Amino acid sequence: MRKFWLAGLMAAGAATMWAQDDPPSRVARLNFLEGSVSFQSAGHDDWAAATPNYPLTVGDHLWADDRSHAELHIGSTAIRMDAHTAIAFLNLDDRMTQLRLSDGTINISVRYMDERESYEVDTPNGAVTLLRPGRYRIDADPERQLTTVTVRGGEAEVTAGSAFPVHARQSAYITGADQPNTEVASAGPSDDFDLWWQSRDDREDRRPAPRYVSREMIGYQDLDDYGTWRDYPGYGPCWVPRVAAGWAPYHNGRWVWVEPWGWTWVDEAPWGFAPFHYGRWAFYGGGWVWLPGAVAVRPVYAPALVAWVGGEHFGVGIGIGAGVGWFPLGPREAYIPSYRVSNTYVTRVNVTNVTNVTNITNVTNVTYVNQRVPGAVTAVSRTDFAASRPVARVAVQVPASAVASAQVSTRQIPVTRQEAVAARPVASATVARPPQSVVRTPVVTKTPPPASTASLARPAAMPANRPSTVYQPAQQNRPGQPQQTYRPPAAQTQPANRPPAVQSEPTYRPPVTQSQPTYRPPTQSEPANRSVRPESTYRPPPPQARTESAPPPHQHGPDRPPARQAEKPRSEKEKEKSK
């Protein structure tokens, strides 16, 4: 047990020294799809059908069409999309999750949040910051210029001109963008989407707490349903998948190019995320078992933990011309990425699985334990690899003699980025995509997004009498926050997968307000892992249709009708006259 906590402490301690150019330690996993859900990768204009187990990162877009739903996980945090909903990742790194919600409804269940972690959802009417673990619903309706924020459990802060809190069992309504009107009232009843949200949360809460992996390991939730845990001598706790005879890791899926990591494995199995982006594989007792390694608070995501097999004559020897092969890394074998990283990153990505991480960057002439395991090496042609074709359909058998004479390394790039861009498959079928009005809808941001996303969101031209930022002076005890207006770009051809850096726009730095006190939410909150029974949320009617039956305590809107005055009692004479 001390080894588990030591790995967590080492990984947490190294986080402060991680180089800025290193890739983030986490992604979002798309783990559930229902109906028609479409995906647009960063830097591209075309849309394709979304794929389970696809890793989402900065600049990626998702659209759930009518009668469709989707679910994503970032560690133990679940994000669920209702029908007719458009989201994009403005930022996703080790500390910040920043979503753009331009239309529709999302529910977010945050089970764990450390003191340096932030969640922000940016909508057309204001920015929503989630301050603690809890359950949140956010509705964006750009047609009515209305955003609704409902807090079932936890605490949120809404920044719309000024900043104000939204406590548990409350809903906030923000109308308008440049000079928004805001109201806070009690949360309403649940609808069908809330009930679906609750059923998905209950399904996760009923699972036993993980013993051998961290809750923040993306994809751990599926392991118990599709395999069993066993303790093997020399390996410790191992997970054994329930698979057909002859199955091998990294065989049923495809390779895709995802910036900034490069070639990334997307597995077809419903459980196929955690065992292919963390840990190591071993061939034991006639089958494959997965070793997660020591438990870390947040293990570091890797695109694929394999060694590449190649060389000048490798493909010729197996009848595929120029070929690409690979096999899974084994217990205690170091993963040295082919993408540019610091030594600190190499330590962090290996610390849970390699006993001695002091000089692993200098290791050469490695003899890999899985290299000679029958069936471990999978190979395809360079053409099939670059085109992201399903591996199981195009793979060839690799004899032991071909592997013995091949070059083996984790550092090589099997197919260059230029080849990947040139061979990038174009969606063959028409897929649903969001309306242009939704794509172009601006959102308000509290935290400036990184340069890579800002280049995709360069503000469109505005009228001269309209400011480029949304800002309203602070009210008493509610400090104002300068607001950036995020506007996505017009469609354009972008062949590169990584968006270019911004050259002409300066970095936005909000002014320091020294005279305003900082808002601190009250300390009372629900425990992070407590299951909150759904009280429900409703979609409010248009502002002009609201009645005076329950005036919100925060602020009266300008179009709220005055209360009806009671009639005066009539005298006896007046009654006689009326007769």
Side-chain angles (χ1 to χ4, degrees):
M1 185 61 69
R2 290 182 62 189
K3 181 177 73 170
F4 292 171
W5 286 109
L6 177 61
L9 291 173
M10 289 177 65
T16 58
M17 300 182 292
W18 205 347
Q20 290 185 348
D21 292 336
D22 286 337
S25 66
R26 59 180 181 167
V27 295
R29 174 207 181 192
L30 184 58
N31 63 282
F32 177 84
L33 300 172
E34 181 180 64
S36 178
V37 181
S38 306
F39 164 74
Q40 184 188 54
S41 62
H44 292 274
D45 295 324
D46 57 316
W47 289 79
T51 305
N53 290 327
Y54 199 98
L56 301 174
T57 187
V58 177
D60 290 341
H61 295 249
L62 275 180
W63 165 252
D65 206 36
D66 295 336
R67 299 183 296 278
S68 302
H69 297 92
E71 179 180 275
L72 304 87
H73 272 84
I74 305 172
S76 59
T77 295
I79 302 171
R80 299 181 176 99
M81 301 171 59
D82 199 2
H84 205 276
T85 296
I87 67 169
F89 282 92
L90 299 183
N91 198 358
L92 180 58
D93 58 23
D94 299 351
R95 298 301 173 194
M96 168 63 79
T97 300
Q98 187 176 11
L99 283 176
R100 173 183 184 266
L101 174 65
S102 55
D103 191 15
T105 302
I106 61 172
N107 280 328
I108 305 179
S109 298
V110 182
R111 289 181 167 81
Y112 171 80
M113 183 188 300
D114 68 31
E115 59 184 7
R116 292 174 293 178
E117 192 171 1
S118 299
Y119 284 86
E120 179 177 323
V121 180
D122 298 322
T123 75
N125 307 101
V128 184
T129 305
L130 312 183
L131 300 176
R132 62 182 80 248
R135 301 174 70 244
Y136 305 88
R137 169 170 172 157
I138 304 171
D139 298 77
D141 188 342
E143 290 186 3
R144 294 196 295 170
Q145 279 292 296
L146 174 66
T147 292
T148 306
V149 180
T150 300
V151 179
R152 297 301 184 192
E155 190 84 13
E157 180 182 78
V158 176
T159 306
S162 61
F164 61 92
V166 186
H167 305 297
R169 296 175 293 279
Q170 287 185 336
S171 291
Y173 308 99
I174 309 98
T175 308
D178 292 339
Q179 295 183 353
N181 297 312
T182 58
E183 307 175 12
V184 176
S186 297
S190 296
D191 62 9
D192 290 342
F193 182 55
D194 289 315
L195 298 177
W196 178 73
W197 171 28
Q198 181 64 45
S199 69
R200 299 288 296 181
D201 265 0
D202 287 346
R203 181 172 175 266
E204 291 191 25
D205 292 336
R206 286 194 298 268
R207 289 192 178 97
R211 297 176 56 192
Y212 307 113
V213 297
S214 166
R215 282 185 178 272
E216 297 310 300
M217 176 180 283
I218 303 170
Y220 86 89
Q221 297 91 339
D222 298 315
L223 298 178
D224 288 343
D225 292 339
Y226 293 95
T228 56
W229 288 96
R230 296 175 184 170
D231 201 316
Y232 290 124
Y235 291 155
C238 299
W239 180 75
V240 184
R242 290 191 290 271
V243 292
W247 178 90
Y250 298 99
H251 186 82
N252 297 88
R254 61 193 177 101
W255 292 98
V256 296
W257 185 278
V258 179
E259 294 282 7
W261 298 273
W263 289 112
T264 300
W265 179 256
V266 178
D267 202 79
E268 296 176 356
W271 50 267
F273 197 91
F276 300 101
H277 301 290
Y278 311 95
R280 303 292 188 270
W281 284 92
F283 192 77
Y284 186 91
W288 290 95
V289 299
W290 178 65
L291 290 66
V295 178
V297 175
R298 181 188 289 167
V300 177
Y301 163 87
L305 294 154
V306 301
W308 300 106
V309 181
E312 184 177 357
H313 303 293
F314 171 69
V316 176
I318 55 179
I320 54 175
V324 179
W326 61 90
F327 59 85
L329 292 179
R332 294 172 289 277
E333 291 177 348
Y335 169 65
I336 313 298
S338 58
Y339 45 93
R340 182 178 300 177
V341 295
S342 67
N343 288 338
T344 302
Y345 176 93
V346 176
T347 299
R348 288 197 63 196
V349 79
N350 284 285
V351 69
T352 59
N353 294 92
V354 178
T355 305
N356 183 3
V357 295
T358 305
N359 295 311
I360 58 177
T361 56
N362 297 323
V363 173
T364 58
N365 298 322
V366 178
T367 299
Y368 295 95
V369 66
N370 291 330
Q371 183 173 349
R372 293 177 174 82
V373 173
V377 178
T378 301
V380 298
S381 70
R382 289 177 66 89
T383 302
D384 290 332
F385 186 96
S388 297
R389 296 193 174 101
V391 167
R393 300 179 189 175
V394 295
V396 297
Q397 290 187 344
V398 183
S401 58
V403 178
S405 60
Q407 298 176 5
V408 179
S409 172
T410 65
R411 304 188 190 199
Q412 71 185 51
I413 301 176
V415 175
T416 66
R417 181 177 181 272
Q418 289 74 16
E419 291 177 273
V421 172
R424 185 175 182 270
V426 178
S428 57
T430 302
V431 298
R433 60 180 63 201
Q436 281 300 306
S437 58
V438 171
V439 173
R440 297 176 184 275
T441 297
V443 298
V444 177
T445 64
K446 176 182 177 181
T447 304
S452 60
T453 312
S455 67
L456 292 174
R458 188 173 291 111
M462 289 184 171
N465 60 351
R466 182 176 178 181
S468 60
T469 58
V470 180
Y471 179 80
Q472 184 171 324
Q475 301 176 5
Q476 186 176 5
N477 295 330
R478 285 177 186 158
Q481 298 281 351
Q483 302 302 299
Q484 265 195 327
T485 301
Y486 168 101
R487 295 183 179 273
Q492 57 183 353
T493 303
Q494 181 81 18
N497 284 359
R498 175 182 287 181
V502 178
Q503 299 293 334
S504 59
E505 295 186 350
T507 302
Y508 172 84
R509 297 186 182 276
V512 179
T513 54
Q514 297 180 349
S515 59
Q516 294 290 342
T518 301
Y519 167 73
R520 301 281 183 190
T523 56
Q524 9 343 8
S525 67
E526 297 180 333
N529 293 324
R530 182 178 173 183
S531 178
V532 183
R533 294 302 307 168
E535 308 166 1
S536 264
T537 302
Y538 72 104
R539 291 182 181 270
Q544 60 268 25
R546 291 184 189 162
T547 65
E548 191 64 21
S549 58
H554 181 59
Q555 179 180 334
H556 291 280
D559 48 3
R560 181 179 296 281
R564 179 180 296 177
Q565 297 183 355
E567 293 185 29
K568 288 185 178 181
R570 295 188 295 175
S571 64
E572 293 297 328
K573 283 186 177 182
E574 290 173 331
K575 292 180 180 179
E576 289 294 329
K577 287 181 180 180
S578 64
K579 293 179 181 178

